[in-house]
Amino acid sequence: GKVRAPTHIISTISDDRGEEPCYAGVPMSSIVEQGYGVGDVISLLWFKRSLPRYCTQFIEICIMLCADHGPCVSGAHNTIVTARAGKDLVSSLVSGLLTIGPRFGGAIDDAARYFKDAYDRGLTPYEFVEGMKKKGIRVPGIGHRIKRGDNRDKRVELLQRFARTHFPSVKYMEYAVQVETYTLSKANNLVLNVDGAIGSLFLDLLAGSGLFTKQEIDEIVEIGYLNGLFVLARSIGLIGHTFDQKRLKQPLYRHPWEDVLYTK
Ligand code: ACO
Ligand code: LMR
């Protein structure tokens, strides 16, 4: 019989060998003719399946709400400085993307991991938060530089409102809200931030859709798919900041001496 030569690469999400490329088996023409959106394409290429409309709409809302947050945040700042150093689009973009991590925009996966573990183990918000404190770990998804208990993040509110209306269950999100109630009783800056909102709500999306096995959910959380949402979203804004600086013909950036404390 035929002997299959061993391959050096295995791939399961897309295939361009036929008449037209397919994403998770769905041909490009169906994607266009059936009016698929970016949320559907993400579902196919990341989760390898079509998701119901409320899920793809939620993904698209995450992308839209996280696309930009002004010029002062870490990512935009890096991108602006790089663009003003005369670098190209890709360099300016990745310079900004490289700031995404545990403090800025990249706390979604850890928020999902810790909230899931705490909820599934039945920890009270008090036990969870104080347990984290004992371990010296900041609660991912909690805290913000400018948002406060009396000046909440509108993005969080919008995501919560959408999920409460469309998701079959928002148990992880409600748990995150209880955690926030406890952390706000400790300090006014310890709000549920957009990373925490997306992390907890994505757990609800995965568990509530009925389309993922428990093992698949654990794998998604363990591998860490969810920071990808912020990376993808914020790329839109960082590209915009690059064009903005080029359009404005901004010169090389140099930080003012007066804003540095020179000390021994
Ligand atoms: N869990 C527990 N305690 C916290 C947390 C947290 N998540 N965040 C801040 N605190 C505490 C700090 O320990 C600090 O107390 P201390 O001075 O006694 O140590 C106090 O609150 C003030 O903290 P600051 O360091 O002044 O807060 P800062 O404004 O620098 O930090 C940040 C903001 C980085 C977002 C922080 O809250 C944090 O690390 N959060 C967890 C990571 C996270 O969710 N990042 C995503 C933010 S949203 C986004 O980037 C789109
Ligand atoms: C963001 O989305 O970039 C912000 O939440 C971060 C910030 O510090 O404002």
Side-chain angles (χ1 to χ4, degrees), residues 99-107 138 193 195:
T99 65
I100 297 175
R103 293 181 184 167
F104 168 66
R138 286 185 176 193
N193 61 42
D195 283 12

Side-chain angles (χ1 to χ4, degrees), residues 138-184:
R138 286 185 176 193
V139 181
I142 294 287
H144 199 274
R145 288 306 291 258
I146 58 167
K147 294 295 165 190
R148 295 287 176 269
D150 48 6
N151 171 30
R152 300 288 252 278
D153 191 328
K154 189 74 184 170
R155 297 170 296 181
V156 171
E157 195 188 307
L158 290 166
L159 290 165
Q160 290 174 329
R161 201 184 307 157
F162 179 87
R164 284 196 176 110
T165 312
H166 295 96
F167 283 24
S169 157
V170 286
K171 63 181 185 178
Y172 288 109
M173 187 267 273
E174 294 298 3
Y175 182 71
V177 169
Q178 285 173 31
V179 170
E180 178 193 45
T181 304
Y182 178 67
T183 54
L184 277 177

Side-chain angles (χ1 to χ4, degrees), residues 182-221:
Y182 178 67
T183 54
L184 277 177
S185 75
K186 290 166 73 87
N188 200 25
N189 66 320
L190 298 184
V191 291
L192 180 66
N193 61 42
V194 74
D195 283 12
I198 295 176
S200 56
L201 279 168
F202 227 93
L203 291 174
D204 286 319
L205 183 152
L206 294 168
S209 70
L211 294 169
F212 296 86
T213 63
K214 197 185 157 306
Q215 199 185 342
E216 284 175 327
I217 296 173
D218 288 343
E219 189 184 50
I220 287 166
V221 171

Side-chain angles (χ1 to χ4, degrees), residues 29-257:
S29 49
S30 302
I31 288 173
V32 173
E33 282 156 18
Q34 290 175 26
Y36 279 31
V38 169
D40 296 289
V41 170
I42 292 171
S43 305
L44 293 172
L45 289 176
W46 294 10
F47 300 102
K48 296 179 37 170
R49 71 204 70 192
S50 288
L51 292 175
R53 180 71 189 126
Y54 77 88
C55 295
T56 58
Q57 217 181 334
F58 178 76
I59 291 172
E60 287 171 9
I61 292 171
C62 291
I63 303 289
M64 291 188 287
L65 294 182
C66 294
D68 199 38
H69 208 259
C72 300
V73 305
S74 310
H77 182 85
N78 257 23
T79 288
I80 288 170
V81 171
T82 309
R84 288 182 56 169
K87 299 295 295 269
D88 60 291
L89 171 64
V90 175
S91 306
S92 305
L93 169 63
V94 298
S95 165
L97 288 178
L98 287 171
T99 65
I100 297 175
R103 293 181 184 167
F104 168 66
I108 309 180
D109 284 311
D110 271 345
R113 285 182 191 120
Y114 281 103
F115 285 139
K116 183 173 188 309
D117 179 68
Y119 177 88
D120 291 353
R121 286 198 291 133
L123 297 186
T124 63
Y126 170 84
E127 288 168 332
F128 170 48
V129 173
E130 294 305 325
M132 294 289 275
K133 193 173 176 189
K134 266 194 203 122
K135 285 185 253 172
I137 305 171
R138 286 185 176 193
V139 181
I142 294 287
H144 199 274
R145 288 306 291 258
I146 58 167
K147 294 295 165 190
R148 295 287 176 269
D150 48 6
N151 171 30
R152 300 288 252 278
D153 191 328
K154 189 74 184 170
R155 297 170 296 181
V156 171
E157 195 188 307
L158 290 166
L159 290 165
Q160 290 174 329
R161 201 184 307 157
F162 179 87
R164 284 196 176 110
T165 312
H166 295 96
F167 283 24
S169 157
V170 286
K171 63 181 185 178
Y172 288 109
M173 187 267 273
E174 294 298 3
Y175 182 71
V177 169
Q178 285 173 31
V179 170
E180 178 193 45
T181 304
Y182 178 67
T183 54
L184 277 177
S185 75
K186 290 166 73 87
N188 200 25
N189 66 320
L190 298 184
V191 291
L192 180 66
N193 61 42
V194 74
D195 283 12
I198 295 176
S200 56
L201 279 168
F202 227 93
L203 291 174
D204 286 319
L205 183 152
L206 294 168
S209 70
L211 294 169
F212 296 86
T213 63
K214 197 185 157 306
Q215 199 185 342
E216 284 175 327
I217 296 173
D218 288 343
E219 189 184 50
I220 287 166
V221 171
E222 192 192 312
I223 290 175
Y225 285 30
L226 306 181
N227 287 342
L229 289 168
F230 194 91
V231 171
L232 179 64
R234 194 50 61 94
S235 294
I236 299 171
L238 298 178
I239 291 170
H241 283 291
T242 307
F243 296 157
D244 196 36
Q245 296 305 306
K246 303 270 182 206
R247 192 167 47 225
L248 293 166
K249 301 196 181 356
Q250 288 296 284
L252 180 66
Y253 179 80
R254 196 174 198 281
H255 202 73
W257 280 323

